[in-house]
Amino acid sequence: MKMKGITICALACALFNQAALADDTNYYIGIKALDVKFTENAELLDGSLEIEDDNGVGIIFGYQFHENWAIELDYQNVDAQSTTYHYSRDGAESVPFSFDVKLNSFGGNVVYKTSGELFFKAKAGIIYEDLEMNESVSRGNYFSESHNNTGFIVAIGGGYIFNHFTFNIDYSKLSTDKDIISAGISYSF
């Protein structure tokens, strides 16, 4: 598994190196809004937490090295405070549970998009995420847990290009069992 990650990272670095040496640049930078849903195993609680409808923001930086192909660096941040989640243990009925969630992720993606102003796209890559969960005030117990994961991401979406601006909507599925819907805008230079 580590060898696959090293190979993918080396490929991404090689592509960025070629981008830096090219005369004709087509870089872009963008921001996006996120809606995240996932289930996270909570080892200290000996159960799992279902986390729905947390919102966040993301930043992308990319280079389009061909009409249909690009590479991207992606940062995403979800910082939800005092949100109620559902906790379940051993198949029992879920119980409302209130705590703070902080999720930061960094990734590298290869992107394919169709030609034209209105386009469809697909992307795949690797992602590193840092998840921290802290119980707010509930039942007199304090709960704190953090995880670092590396995984794969695949996404489909579409968008519209207007001059140097691109409007995007994506659905992403992470190998770490997270679903993300994002909408954003990027600027090409």
Side-chain angles (χ1 to χ4, degrees), residues 22-42:
D23 291 335
D24 183 24
T25 61
N26 196 8
Y27 293 96
Y28 56 93
I29 189 165
I31 58 171
K32 58 186 176 177
L34 310 170
D35 181 56
V36 181
K37 177 181 178 181
F38 63 98
T39 300
E40 184 66 35
N41 288 327

Side-chain angles (χ1 to χ4, degrees), residues 38-40 127 129 149-152 173-179:
F38 63 98
T39 300
E40 184 66 35
I127 192 165
E129 55 185 35
N149 296 313
T150 302
F152 294 100
K173 180 72 174 171
L174 285 68
S175 63
T176 54
D177 292 330
K178 292 174 182 63
D179 296 304

